[in-house]
Amino acid sequence: MNDDERIEELSELVLKDITNFQARRELVIELMDKGYNEEALKHLYFLLKTFPEDSRLHYNAGIVLENLKKFDKAIISYKNALKYQPDETDFLYNLGYAYLQVGNYDEALPCFKKVLESEPDDANSYFNMGYIFSKKKEHELAINCLEKAIQLNNEDYLAYFYLGYENSCIGNEECAIDFYNKVLELRPDYSWAYFNLAAIAFKNGITEEAIHYLNKTLEYNPKDNEAVIIFAKIMAQNHQLDSALDILQKAVNNNPYDGNLNYALARLHKEMDNTEMYAYFLKEALNNHETLSFDIKYLQKEYEQLQK
């Protein structure tokens, strides 16, 4: 009997007898395993009306809600599960992860710390703590946690990636490069490692190396607009203005609402003395200011001066 046949069989049992709770519990697990989250949630809520103190039901509801990207509701379910089993590490970890997904780092952190009290070799908790400290710009704490994560799991490419990022933040570029290369040993298609290597090379004026890594970035992620912008800057510096214009225009055509792309194109037109197009794309950048990495006041001033 395959999974779908089992689901059909259990569904029939539940339809015949709505109080067949064992069949309904089994059905929930089958539905979760197959990714039928909405249907699983209906049965979980039905069961919770009869078994409101069943921690595992609350936990499973949290998992399903997390799968549905309803993290705020998942948090409630995980907290309900912990009411009845306050030291269950699976519940604590998932609660921490759900907090992390909504950017509530201060609530997430103690969850992972408590997991580590019971399971000191949990590499995922160390990674998540490292990620949180990275977001909080507490670089040394981030590095310490990420190093512990790779000591426990030396194939965690994301831990190596964030170690690269953190070392770059504190000026240890050689270490950062080593970590990014380690990422690529484990995941040769991880475009962000190529991009960060390109950014380091570009910053240090190593143009050929930057171009190599940018080509690899765009090979694995053609929609990486930051890579496109750096690529265009290099071309412009090498007096290949038409090539720079071509790559930026194609990127804007594919994503016309990216403020940074429009601004990069505006600046290139300014360099090429195309005043009309400079003004047009500067205005487009302002129209899409939600995606700008620049201070909008600076761009507004630039646009106003152009209109005089």
Side-chain angles (χ1 to χ4, degrees):
M1 180 182 295
N2 62 37
D3 293 340
D4 287 331
E5 288 172 341
R6 180 60 176 158
I7 287 172
E8 187 176 346
E9 179 185 61
L10 290 167
S11 297
E12 288 177 2
L13 290 173
V14 169
L15 281 172
K16 288 177 183 177
D17 180 6
I18 63 170
T19 63
N20 189 338
F21 300 122
Q22 183 56 40
R24 198 181 291 270
R25 286 174 183 270
E26 290 180 37
L27 178 58
V28 164
I29 301 304
E30 293 289 340
L31 291 167
M32 290 174 67
D33 287 345
K34 291 288 288 183
Y36 300 140
N37 294 300
E38 296 279 5
E39 192 65 25
L41 193 59
K42 292 177 185 176
H43 291 289
L44 282 164
Y45 284 155
F46 183 94
L47 288 166
L48 280 166
K49 289 177 183 177
T50 306
F51 307 102
E53 297 183 5
D54 189 317
S55 61
R56 188 60 56 173
L57 289 175
H58 286 292
Y59 173 67
N60 284 339
I63 292 173
V64 171
L65 289 161
E66 197 174 301
N67 290 338
L68 293 168
K69 308 299 182 187
K70 297 179 180 180
F71 295 108
D72 288 330
K73 290 185 177 181
I75 286 168
I76 294 170
S77 289
Y78 292 139
K79 289 172 78 172
N80 284 335
L82 285 162
K83 285 180 186 177
Y84 305 108
Q85 280 189 270
D87 297 319
E88 174 56 54
T89 54
D90 286 345
F91 301 174
L92 285 164
Y93 180 88
N94 280 38
L95 177 60
Y97 186 77
Y99 275 131
L100 190 153
Q101 294 304 305
V102 297
N104 193 337
Y105 303 134
D106 290 334
E107 293 289 350
L109 202 55
C111 295
F112 297 125
K113 287 181 177 179
K114 196 164 183 182
V115 170
L116 288 167
E117 289 175 9
S118 301
E119 298 181 12
D121 293 336
D122 188 78
N124 289 331
S125 288
Y126 276 118
F127 171 79
N128 288 331
M129 288 173 62
Y131 176 85
I132 290 168
F133 286 129
S134 177
K135 289 296 183 181
K136 291 164 72 71
K137 302 189 184 303
E138 297 182 36
H139 304 300
E140 293 298 335
L141 288 172
I143 288 170
N144 288 340
C145 289
L146 292 165
E147 285 177 343
K148 287 176 181 175
I150 61 171
Q151 286 169 11
L152 294 164
N153 177 10
N154 64 7
E155 295 193 355
D156 186 344
Y157 72 94
L158 284 176
Y160 285 110
F161 177 80
Y162 278 100
L163 274 169
Y165 173 77
E166 288 300 309
N167 276 277
S168 184
C169 286
I170 62 175
N172 292 340
E173 285 190 348
E174 288 187 13
C175 286
I177 290 168
D178 288 342
F179 283 124
Y180 291 138
N181 282 324
K182 182 63 179 180
V183 172
L184 294 173
E185 284 180 29
L186 297 167
R187 277 286 305 273
D189 62 342
Y190 194 64
S191 68
W192 279 106
Y194 289 115
F195 175 79
N196 285 5
L197 285 167
I200 292 172
F202 177 66
K203 189 183 86 169
N204 292 317
I206 311 172
T207 304
E208 288 186 12
E209 191 172 300
I211 289 172
H212 166 72
Y213 287 127
L214 288 168
N215 275 321
K216 297 297 287 185
T217 302
L218 293 169
E219 176 185 343
Y220 292 112
N221 183 12
K223 296 182 179 180
D224 190 326
N225 293 329
E226 290 184 76
V228 168
I229 289 169
I230 294 178
F231 216 147
K233 284 181 181 178
I234 292 172
M235 290 177 179
Q237 288 174 2
N238 291 338
H239 309 292
Q240 297 173 288
L241 297 179
D242 288 338
S243 295
L245 185 63
D246 182 57
I247 190 174
L248 280 173
Q249 188 63 64
K250 285 179 180 177
V252 168
N253 290 344
N254 291 329
N255 191 355
Y257 306 114
D258 187 298
N260 288 332
L261 279 176
N262 278 286
Y263 185 58
L265 194 50
R267 298 297 296 179
L268 183 59
H269 277 296
K270 180 183 181 183
E271 189 172 344
M272 297 174 74
D273 294 323
N274 299 332
T275 305
E276 185 177 341
M277 298 306 291
Y278 168 38
Y280 175 81
F281 285 107
L282 190 55
K283 181 66 173 176
E284 286 300 297
L286 287 167
N287 288 339
N288 296 284
H289 60 86
E290 301 90 351
T291 55
L292 275 172
S293 301
F294 306 90
D295 187 342
I296 189 173
K297 293 179 183 177
Y298 173 79
L299 267 71
Q300 285 173 332
K301 185 176 180 181
E302 186 176 349
Y303 185 72
E304 288 167 4
Q305 289 176 340
L306 186 61
Q307 300 306 304
K308 290 180 181 179

